[in-house]
Amino acid sequence: MLKMLQEAEKILSPEFRGDARVVMVCTPALTLALYISSFRVEVSLLIMAIACMYAGLRALKAVIIASPFLAFFAASSLLLSDATHAATTTFGLASLVALGSVLAAIPPAELSCALVYFKVPYRFAFLVSLAVRMFRVYIRDLRQAMEAMKLSGERGVAIYAKLLKAMTSIAVLRSIAIAETLYSRGFSGKAECFCRRPSRFDYLVLLFSAIVLVYSLVLVSGMM
Amino acid sequence: MIDSMIELKNVSYTYPNGRRALDNVSFHAQHGEKVFVAGKTGSGKSTLLRILNGLIPGFYGGKLNGDVRVYGRKPGVKRVFFVSQHPEEQILCDRVIDEITFPLLQRGWSWRDAVSSAEEAAKRCGIEHLLERSTTGLSEGEKQLVVISAAMASDADCIVLDEPFSHLYPDIAGSILKKLLRTDRTVISSEHRLEMAEYFDRTFWLGNSGEMDSRVDSGIEEDLRVDREKVGREESSIVVEAEGLTAGYGEPVVHTSFEIAEGEIYAIVGPNGSGKTTLLKTIAGILKPIEGKIRVRGRVSMAFQYPNYHFSARSVEKEVSPEMLEVFGLTHLSNRHPHTLSGGEAKRVSIAKAFAGDVVLLDEPTAGQDYAFRSRFLRIARKTGKTVVIATHDLKLASMCDGVIELC
């Protein structure tokens, strides 16, 4: 578990070099494509490829970290349907996890600027980026709390109940402290946002995502 | 010309939960004056400083009685910049440059002017190389420097600092403080390291005066010297042994070798980012050595810098054994919920809890603690007879230990 949290921290650390606006367009488009194609394997594969193009090994690491959840999902699907359906939906979900790692890698500042570009008020966009930053802080808190509890001799399932209690309090305390800082910095919703110019690679990903979406639509119309 | 600009007359304050934090306190500061605020843990220093920029009662609520005027008006965030003691909880942005410019942009500055002011402040704090870095990967000390840079870059007439140097190495803290005090703004700072008071124009005491604390301190130094002589060392009593140890998070940060015998108290010192916490975590077995060997005999326990990681019970008495509560003088907190304690109290409880182990590792145990506790702490540790390893910026505390591991 501790190792998993360490890996999750690495995946969530912002190391993104693409255009946040492109990712924010492509991510829902690709998710929609997967949904309307009814989790077709080739669509999942294409999404996985796009995620790897953007996030590289991080995308695959995210899938590995999510593997216990994916295994649980696969087992549940198997109970409710046949093996083929369970395998394709699990693979589809894995591709969405990989796609999520691309979103998670966007630096919060670029995320808020991209939201402002899409006409979201800065006050709201900033709070979204702050929530993303705090999520990373909470993951680190969770790891450190777990380390502290293991050292104090806690073992087994009991540790998770204690962690839940500790993390609830820590999250509340951190939230109050952040709200205090926002107040004392005179947060008024004013900002300067700069979006980087999309590179050729970004345009290529945008085009590729559009093709996947169109392909899914064609599949659906073919089925009809 | 503005003069006698900050004035609190007969101020009393009660938090919304009914806790009375200040009782009939009067305070004043002239424009440009540098005031050092001293007092024991829980004496109300943080409360006083929060009143100055309007966080109390504006953000916290509660009942404030008395007159408070800051530059002829009600206290507000525009004229007073507040720096608190926990850097992690003051960082709002992901990039250092964004963090320093954030308050300026909120006050309507243009991006160009804000960046120019931020770059100048960062240069004065020696963190210009961090401007493009993500705040997530910074050490606590670096984060504190970022927040102090934001205060320096701001156009506030008064900078209020609540124990801003607890995460900084003394040399760095001293140099930053001198630069901060060279400005013509009013600077009001609280700090437990009383040696810093000499840099300020005057000291304002909340609660008991400092004379008593220094007398206590000198007496304890004598006791500790005697205690230390009594402690002998035998080869068989070595409980922590590091041989050609290289440690770090993937990248090697620490290279060291040392031996610590049973009952000894060792300090790990070094500048910010030198790997003190990394070494503690390696001794604890949380991190594996990259090279070399580390051997530890007995059960290891550790108190982290952020004390709340250790608490999951509903009361302090369920977290810490009654004996340790007694030894650390914390019995009056027995029925309190650990997450409702002040920062200093929570830290003491987490330290007391860590003394359940045979080898006790403490990360900055005296940061944010008053002078009396800092002096008493080593005597308490000695009394328990446990092996203690302390990572600290407190060089005075380190000098009173049995040995020092210096990192660079």
Side-chain angles (χ1 to χ4, degrees), chain A residues 141 144 180-181 188 190, chain B residues 50 60 89 106 281 309:
Chain A
D141 282 342
Q144 303 237 56
E180 181 190 351
T181 305
S188 61
K190 289 176 191 153
Chain B
R50 280 177 169 85
Y60 282 94
E89 292 166 352
Q106 300 313 308
K281 286 192 172 181
Y309 291 143

Side-chain angles (χ1 to χ4, degrees), chain A residues 18-162:
Chain A
D19 188 304
R21 292 167 298 174
V22 173
V23 176
M24 289 179 74
V25 170
C26 292
T27 313
L30 290 170
T31 311
L32 185 67
L34 186 67
Y35 177 71
I36 57 180
S37 72
S38 304
F39 287 76
R40 289 281 287 254
V41 177
E42 62 268 36
V43 175
S44 302
L45 262 174
L46 287 167
I47 291 173
M48 193 74 93
I50 291 171
C52 289
M53 276 164 72
Y54 248 135
L57 276 177
R58 278 166 166 247
L60 295 177
K61 276 186 181 172
V63 175
I64 293 167
I65 286 173
S67 54
F69 168 71
L70 292 172
F72 179 73
F73 178 83
S76 311
S77 301
L78 203 57
L79 291 174
L80 298 169
S81 61
D82 57 279
T84 318
H85 185 259
T88 52
T89 48
T90 307
F91 187 56
L93 200 62
S95 69
L96 287 183
V97 169
L99 200 58
S101 74
V102 179
L103 260 181
I106 302 174
E110 291 195 24
L111 182 69
S112 57
C113 288
L115 286 169
V116 168
Y117 179 83
F118 291 120
K119 306 293 175 207
V120 173
Y122 178 74
R123 189 177 281 265
F124 181 73
F126 179 78
L127 293 178
V128 171
S129 73
L130 189 58
V132 171
R133 204 191 95 75
M134 287 313 290
F135 185 65
R136 291 170 181 147
V137 173
Y138 292 142
I139 294 276
R140 199 201 51 207
D141 282 342
L142 180 62
R143 175 176 57 78
Q144 303 237 56
M146 190 170 238
E147 286 171 354
M149 284 183 190
K150 284 203 164 165
L151 277 178
S152 59
E154 305 291 349
R155 292 285 179 271
V157 186
I159 201 170
Y160 294 98
K162 290 195 170 184

